[in-house]
Amino acid sequence: RDDTMVILVSDNGATREGGSLGDVNWYRSANVMPLGSIAEQIGQLDDVGGPNTAPVNATGWSMVGNTPLKRYKGNTHGGGIRDPLIISWPARLVDHGGIRSQFCHIIDVLPTVVALAGVEVPATINGIDQQPIEGVSLAKCVDSPTVASPKGAQYFEMHGNRGIWRDGWKAVTFHVPNTPFDNDRWELYHLDRDVGECHDVAAEHPLLVAELVDAWWQEARKYSVLPLDDRILERFLVSPPNPITDRRRFVYYAGAYVPTEAMPDVRNVSFEIRARLDRAPGSGDGVIAACGDRLMGYAFYIKDGHLRFHYNAAGSHSFVRSSTDLPHGNLSVSFGFEKTGPLRGTGRLFVGGDEIAAATIGPTIGVTFAPLGLSIGMGRASAVANDYDGRFAFQGKLHEVVFVVGDDRGATEIPTYMND
């Protein structure tokens, strides 16, 4: 333990996604859905920290969280990008509890660790050229609080917001989406003296501002930042090319777990879930396929002998269930979702090709699913639906589960509730 280096770092500044009131379910915010009312949230205060909430604080508390830094997550001012970094290494560090004020970026952590470990990074692995390491080693800064930072410059870009640090100075601009980038006004701060970016001195140093802005463009060209793209929601709605998920048909077997990045993308599109299973007498209930948890997701399952599908859109529940018991023995069952509009459609249950139930399903999720992925034959965490608990593993034999994704997703659609 004494000769092990441990590095702790957070990911970004506090978010403003919770708006003025915040919410007990972050997934509503992530999907740009209406947030919970004050009365609803107060009623769930005692649940915060448990499996039924994923809170996102209000903007006011985010400002407190970022103090004394300016703005929020997603911005390139200090409130969005400046974070604590703590290093523990008892056998090497002599000034335990010491402070380092040299400028450091997350890309500098890897080369620093490599240098301190005394190893070389190979230029090729198995004959494949590796990407160059873009950061610099700050090993000397780890050992000394006074040695100068070896960094020359560091650019930032997020959703069109831009910034660049060089020699203790920082030029930064706040960009309003869907406005010309040429309209952005660059601010200038002397970070060595003004950590909170409170005193904009751009008017006093116009030549330095021009130099730093030009340096930002050079860094942007060098590190493939261009072309600038200030779209946010649209970029979440359109997934990048992925050979794993860019298919129409997926076949899974009992016990499989599929992470979110690899599971079928059923956002705002028609789809089917088909299953071949064997229900022995007294052992035919359980989850066939479940995505997500109590906060958001969907589940296809059998409960009390009834075939059911439940959709949980961040607390907005819709479902379809059979009115009669399923027979025992080998069965082919399926759920089909026919999209009838943005974030809504008709859900149908089938046994052996015969429709046994139908209902409206909506709203559905349009931007991002829960990070818990897809499980076959059982749930993974808290139950998606409110009529079963836990993993609710299928008690019969599950031969195969097939997802078939439709071709009616269409162009990037901004669902109606996202414009509210």
Side-chain angles (χ1 to χ4, degrees):
R1 168 65 184 88
D2 284 349
D3 199 26
T4 299
M5 180 169 59
V6 178
I7 299 177
L8 174 67
V9 62
S10 67
D11 59 348
N12 47 244
T15 181
R16 57 180 174 179
E17 292 168 295
S20 60
L21 299 180
D23 199 3
V24 293
N25 189 342
W26 173 82
Y27 296 109
R28 283 191 284 228
S29 169
N31 284 282
V32 204
M33 300 174 71
L35 304 185
S37 66
I38 295 178
E40 176 188 351
Q41 297 194 61
I42 291 176
Q44 289 187 267
L45 282 180
D46 289 342
D47 294 332
V48 170
N52 297 322
T53 64
V56 56
N57 49 253
T59 307
W61 282 112
S62 295
M63 179 178 288
V64 172
N66 285 333
T67 299
L69 307 173
K70 185 178 292 186
R71 297 195 184 274
Y72 309 91
K73 168 186 173 183
N75 302 136
T76 49
H77 285 76
I81 60 175
R82 194 176 183 109
D83 301 284
L85 185 148
I86 302 171
I87 299 178
S88 170
W89 193 358
R92 173 66 179 270
L93 301 177
V94 293
D95 58 336
H96 302 293
I99 302 295
R100 300 291 183 270
S101 59
Q102 297 97 326
F103 186 90
C104 173
H105 189 272
I106 193 67
I107 64 173
D108 303 322
V109 171
L110 172 59
T112 300
V113 171
V114 168
L116 291 171
V119 298
E120 296 290 334
V121 176
T124 62
I125 296 178
N126 295 330
I128 299 174
D129 292 337
Q130 301 298 291
Q131 289 182 319
I133 294 178
E134 296 174 353
V136 299
S137 170
L138 299 174
K140 293 182 179 179
C141 299
V142 172
D143 291 328
S144 170
T146 58
V147 67
S149 172
K151 288 190 72 70
Q154 178 63 55
Y155 82 90
F156 301 91
E157 190 276 332
M158 181 69 71
H159 308 312
N161 299 299
R162 291 165 285 165
I164 185 167
W165 171 93
R166 191 182 73 180
D167 297 330
W169 293 86
K170 180 182 174 185
V172 61
T173 182
F174 174 77
H175 177 73
V176 178
N178 301 314
T179 63
F181 290 103
D182 289 342
N183 291 354
D184 295 344
R185 188 182 72 82
W186 285 85
E187 306 160 20
L188 180 66
Y189 301 99
H190 194 182
L191 284 194
D192 285 353
R193 301 177 181 175
D194 182 17
V195 173
E197 300 172 359
C198 297
H199 306 289
D200 179 9
V201 294
E204 301 168 30
H205 303 278
L207 295 180
L208 178 57
V209 173
E211 285 182 27
L212 290 173
V213 171
D214 183 64
W216 185 92
W217 284 105
Q218 293 180 41
E219 296 289 292
R221 295 185 186 96
K222 180 179 179 181
Y223 294 112
S224 303
V225 179
L226 307 179
L228 284 171
D229 188 346
D230 63 356
R231 296 174 301 163
I232 301 176
L233 180 59
E234 293 86 350
R235 293 166 71 176
F236 277 99
L237 290 173
V238 179
S239 300
N242 185 332
I244 298 176
T245 58
D246 291 345
R247 293 180 286 145
R248 297 279 301 283
R249 188 171 184 271
F250 303 77
V251 181
Y252 303 113
Y253 301 97
Y257 167 68
V258 187
T260 303
E261 294 80 8
M263 70 185 188
D265 184 358
V266 298
R267 296 173 302 167
N268 209 18
V269 69
S270 298
F271 67 95
E272 292 180 74
I273 308 175
R274 307 168 183 169
R276 291 192 301 108
L277 52 88
D278 187 358
R279 294 187 72 235
S283 63
D285 283 3
V287 167
I288 298 170
C291 171
D293 60 9
R294 184 74 75 191
L295 298 167
M296 181 175 68
Y298 60 84
F300 184 36
Y301 58 105
I302 301 171
K303 174 73 185 300
D304 297 331
H306 295 266
L307 187 63
R308 311 182 185 203
F309 180 88
H310 190 108
Y311 202 105
N312 179 354
S316 180
H317 297 264
S318 53
F319 59 89
V320 54
R321 56 167 291 181
S322 65
S323 58
T324 58
D325 289 350
L326 290 175
H328 294 288
N330 287 306
L331 298 174
S332 293
V333 299
S334 62
F335 167 78
F337 176 78
E338 180 185 3
K339 175 185 166 185
T340 58
L343 303 185
R344 66 195 72 252
T346 300
R348 294 183 171 87
L349 297 174
F350 299 86
V351 176
D354 296 324
E355 182 177 320
I356 60 171
T360 298
I361 301 294
T364 59
I365 295 301
V367 181
T368 180
F369 266 104
L372 289 176
L374 172 69
S375 296
I376 305 299
M378 68 179 71
R380 274 185 63 82
S382 56
V384 174
N386 47 23
D387 60 355
Y388 71 86
D389 295 314
R391 297 195 172 199
F392 196 38
F394 183 63
Q395 297 302 307
K397 184 173 180 58
L398 191 57
H399 299 289
E400 174 183 84
V401 177
V402 178
F403 277 69
V404 179
V405 180
D407 58 0
D408 56 350
R409 194 187 313 274
T412 302
E413 298 183 41
I414 307 298
T416 53
Y417 69 52
M418 294 184 182
N419 295 325
D420 293 340

